[in-house]
Amino acid sequence: MKIKRLFYYELLSIKTEINKLQQDKNNVKVLGDIQEKLLEYHHWVECKFNTRKFRLKNLKRMKKNPANTKEISLQIKSSINKTILQLDELTELKVWLRNIGNSLPHLYYDKGDLRAYSYSSNSNNLKELSGDIHGKDGLDLELKCFRYAIDIGSKALLNDLTSIMRYGDLTLMDKEIPFIMEIKNSEACRVKANKQLKNMQEIHSYLEKDISTTIRGGEVISQRITMSEDERSNKEFFNKHFTDSKHTGYNLSKIEGGLYCLSFYHGSKYQDNVDFSVLKKLKKPAFFSLNQFKNEEDNSLFYPYTLLIDDPEIYTAFMLGLYSIYLFLDCEILNKTADKYKIEFKFITDKYLSEMRSKGGPLIYSHTFTKALVEFSSLNWAVNQMFSNYQVALDSYDVIIKKEF
């Protein structure tokens, strides 16, 4: 039995609690209880991970013993492969737990603002995540501050439980702007705390001005562009699709023009019952697997599935690989809109972004299309926004180059 599937009832329970918090965001007790559960789950995963890591080290040492018979060597090799698979599963569980943690700040703040708290101020990469939560220096003090804040009715968040709040230790989410606290045990930590404070100030400056040439190591220009039209969401249509799939174990339905969703419980024999002929309407079909996407750490910065998928049973089965969600889309909507705006583009699937360029203009990259795919937004809305905002980005680029911003 896979390790991940041991977490079925835990995932089901915590998703139910998040639904409860979603209905009443001022329920600080539920907010605190969810984080206490996450702490407990992290502790279990970290202990299992460290035990298997130690086991793998011993097995590799045993494998080098020249006295091993062929049979013993094969047994050791089999144990090594099994242990590596278990470590991979536990690593995925760590990603999932942090993704669940991400749902908490998303209940209180805009997803576009929150992403900035994952950016590094030193490089183009995301800020490095902390390691194991349990056993780290200062955890007792952090927990003491967190529990005190919850007890007095403050919406407190332990940042290490997320993969999106990568600055500071504790966030108070009572005000319009998150209040991030760096908690240190001693005066010796002052230098590190001051550096963290400077980096957080740069992030807040970016959020205030919508532009920065210093975050991400100063290697790229970071700018947020206001969409010309409010985001159109397909979340309601997707969740109706998921609900319908529970009756038969599978469902293929049209979400919007140019986008179909196929979802099914494993073992449902959907291949024998689904009418795939409707997909022939797609002129330039493309395929996207949400199951594969969800397990990559940096992709957990997108809007969390704990808030996208309403049904706790569907969510839990999806996370555990018992339920698959595939998207079939028509890339013709990209081609037609690009032609309309006279922009050349290509979709870079391995990096989940679109590369755009007008004649003689610079390359501009956008994650808008991918965000729409994985966040259940309208693809037609996203494509139009992505290309229509290209000229806005070009104008801003010219201003930045002339140092007029």
Side-chain angles (χ1 to χ4, degrees), residues 86-200:
Q86 290 174 340
L87 285 169
D88 289 342
E89 277 195 82
L90 289 165
T91 298
E92 283 186 13
L93 268 174
K94 288 183 179 182
V95 173
W96 297 357
L97 290 175
R98 279 199 161 109
N99 188 251
I100 292 170
N102 285 344
S103 64
L104 301 179
H106 275 96
L107 287 174
Y108 301 96
Y109 298 107
D110 179 78
K111 61 186 179 183
D113 290 346
L114 288 174
R115 287 190 185 104
Y117 293 103
S118 66
Y119 297 159
S120 171
S121 60
N122 303 312
S123 75
N124 191 27
N125 299 320
L126 296 174
K127 187 177 184 295
E128 186 177 356
L129 276 172
S130 59
D132 286 353
I133 294 175
H134 295 274
K136 79 166 196 172
D137 292 339
L139 178 62
D140 288 345
L141 182 58
E142 287 178 32
L143 292 179
K144 185 177 181 180
C145 294
F146 161 71
R147 286 164 180 155
Y148 175 77
I150 291 291
D151 286 345
I152 62 173
S154 179
K155 301 183 185 76
L157 172 73
L158 281 166
N159 293 354
D160 281 348
L161 293 176
T162 79
S163 62
I164 199 162
M165 304 300 290
R166 302 191 181 192
Y167 288 89
D169 301 309
L170 190 67
T171 298
L172 302 182
M173 303 183 294
D174 303 292
K175 302 294 184 181
E176 185 178 348
I177 297 175
F179 184 77
I180 301 175
M181 301 171 64
E182 185 77 22
I183 300 170
K184 298 302 177 190
N185 272 321
S186 66
E187 188 69 21
C189 299
R190 179 180 292 274
V191 173
K192 182 179 179 181
N194 286 338
K195 184 179 179 181
Q196 286 273 55
L197 177 61
K198 181 178 181 297
N199 292 338
M200 280 189 278

Side-chain angles (χ1 to χ4, degrees), residues 375-388:
E375 296 181 353
F376 298 171
S377 302
S378 164
L379 291 194
N380 290 278
W381 165 84
V383 169
N384 188 66
Q385 291 300 311
M386 184 171 69
F387 291 122
S388 66

Side-chain angles (χ1 to χ4, degrees), residues 200-262:
M200 280 189 278
Q201 288 172 336
E202 290 183 6
I203 298 298
H204 280 288
S205 176
Y206 165 66
L207 290 172
E208 180 184 355
K209 299 176 181 177
D210 291 327
I211 189 167
S212 175
T213 56
T214 58
I215 64 171
R216 302 189 185 190
E219 297 176 15
V220 297
I221 298 167
S222 298
Q223 179 170 15
R224 302 196 302 168
I225 297 173
T226 302
M227 299 295 184
S228 61
E229 180 185 353
D230 289 342
E231 180 176 348
R232 297 204 307 269
S233 175
N234 284 328
K235 179 184 173 183
E236 182 179 342
F237 299 113
F238 271 104
N239 278 288
K240 182 183 184 305
H241 167 97
F242 300 144
T243 299
D244 291 344
S245 76
K246 294 182 75 173
H247 301 304
T248 57
Y250 56 86
N251 191 18
L252 172 64
S253 69
K254 181 179 178 180
I255 302 299
E256 67 171 321
L259 177 64
Y260 287 81
C261 180
L262 168 67

Side-chain angles (χ1 to χ4, degrees), residues 180-396:
I180 301 175
M181 301 171 64
E182 185 77 22
I183 300 170
K184 298 302 177 190
N185 272 321
S186 66
E187 188 69 21
C189 299
R190 179 180 292 274
V191 173
K192 182 179 179 181
N194 286 338
K195 184 179 179 181
Q196 286 273 55
L197 177 61
K198 181 178 181 297
N199 292 338
M200 280 189 278
Q201 288 172 336
E202 290 183 6
I203 298 298
H204 280 288
S205 176
Y206 165 66
L207 290 172
E208 180 184 355
K209 299 176 181 177
D210 291 327
I211 189 167
S212 175
T213 56
T214 58
I215 64 171
R216 302 189 185 190
E219 297 176 15
V220 297
I221 298 167
S222 298
Q223 179 170 15
R224 302 196 302 168
I225 297 173
T226 302
M227 299 295 184
S228 61
E229 180 185 353
D230 289 342
E231 180 176 348
R232 297 204 307 269
S233 175
N234 284 328
K235 179 184 173 183
E236 182 179 342
F237 299 113
F238 271 104
N239 278 288
K240 182 183 184 305
H241 167 97
F242 300 144
T243 299
D244 291 344
S245 76
K246 294 182 75 173
H247 301 304
T248 57
Y250 56 86
N251 191 18
L252 172 64
S253 69
K254 181 179 178 180
I255 302 299
E256 67 171 321
L259 177 64
Y260 287 81
C261 180
L262 168 67
S263 63
F264 56 89
Y265 282 99
H266 292 195
S268 64
K269 296 184 179 180
Y270 70 95
Q271 302 98 321
D272 301 330
N273 299 290
V274 172
D275 179 11
F276 288 99
S277 64
V278 294
L279 298 179
K280 293 180 180 179
K281 297 177 182 179
L282 304 178
K283 295 181 180 178
K284 291 189 176 181
F287 168 82
F288 195 87
S289 169
L290 289 182
N291 292 64
Q292 179 180 345
F293 189 87
K294 79 176 188 299
N295 290 329
E296 300 187 26
E297 185 174 274
D298 287 349
N299 296 336
S300 68
L301 299 185
F302 292 97
Y303 198 74
Y305 291 110
T306 34
L307 299 180
L308 284 171
I309 301 174
D310 293 337
D311 190 296
E313 291 181 0
I314 294 283
Y315 166 78
T316 302
F318 168 64
M319 294 304 294
L320 294 176
L322 304 171
Y323 183 89
S324 288
I325 303 174
Y326 296 146
L327 304 181
F328 296 90
L329 56 138
D330 195 343
C331 286
E332 181 67 11
I333 62 176
L334 282 160
N335 297 337
K336 289 175 65 176
T337 311
D339 290 342
K340 172 184 173 183
Y341 289 100
K342 296 181 173 56
I343 293 174
E344 297 176 1
F345 88 97
K346 64 179 179 179
F347 185 56
I348 307 173
T349 53
D350 59 329
K351 295 183 179 178
Y352 304 106
L353 52 79
S354 300
E355 178 183 284
M356 299 177 289
R357 168 180 268 160
S358 64
K359 187 176 181 180
L363 280 176
I364 289 181
Y365 297 96
S366 173
H367 287 282
T368 301
F369 189 69
T370 305
K371 288 176 190 172
L373 280 170
V374 301
E375 296 181 353
F376 298 171
S377 302
S378 164
L379 291 194
N380 290 278
W381 165 84
V383 169
N384 188 66
Q385 291 300 311
M386 184 171 69
F387 291 122
S388 66
N389 279 329
Y390 178 85
Q391 189 58 51
V392 177
L394 277 187
D395 293 342
S396 299

Side-chain angles (χ1 to χ4, degrees), residues 43-60:
H43 185 259
W44 186 90
V45 171
E46 289 166 7
C47 287
K48 298 296 182 187
F49 187 90
N50 292 331
T51 298
R52 281 158 179 75
K53 191 175 178 181
F54 181 75
R55 173 175 169 76
L56 181 62
K57 182 179 178 181
N58 284 337
L59 286 169
K60 288 182 175 180

